[in-house]
Amino acid sequence: MSDFLEWVTHGAKRGRFEMDSRAAVALAVMVGTLTMVMALYLILISRTAAQGRTIEQLQAELFRLQRENHQLAVEIAQESAVPRLWERAQTLGLVPAEEIEFVGRSE
């Protein structure tokens, strides 16, 4: 690493950097690799954030459906209550049976 620092400071003192083709290729490969790694990292982070938003939306939908389901269960219980059934039967004109006749099978 001291060679690198010496090269940088030497080049800075002279006002220009001199680099042989081997060092230029190595630097280009390093820059390309770092760029590729950073791009892949950004893609991964973007997908993770998008999946997080999707999960939050699905959880919100789940909670909404659970509340709606609970409300429907309450309405079913109210409509199934005996006093409500009696009231509906009376509005339909139904009356309690006066005489019940059971019909059975003859064996």
Side-chain angles (χ1 to χ4, degrees), residues 31-78:
V31 168
T33 303
L34 286 174
T35 303
M36 186 72 81
V37 168
M38 288 188 293
L40 290 174
Y41 177 74
L42 289 175
I43 290 170
L44 177 66
I45 293 300
S46 174
R47 286 186 180 177
T48 302
Q51 287 177 348
R53 283 191 300 274
T54 302
I55 289 171
E56 286 178 0
Q57 290 171 348
L58 289 173
Q59 284 178 335
E61 179 73 8
L62 174 66
F63 293 143
R64 184 188 66 77
L65 290 173
Q66 285 175 338
R67 283 193 311 270
E68 185 179 326
N69 189 28
H70 179 70
Q71 181 61 36
L72 289 173
V74 168
E75 289 177 21
I76 289 170
Q78 288 173 344

Side-chain angles (χ1 to χ4, degrees), residues 8-30:
V8 170
T9 56
H10 180 72
K13 288 178 186 174
R14 291 178 48 188
R16 60 181 151 75
F17 290 101
E18 292 180 14
M19 187 182 311
D20 61 349
S21 62
R22 189 177 201 190
V25 169
L27 183 62
V29 168
M30 187 168 41

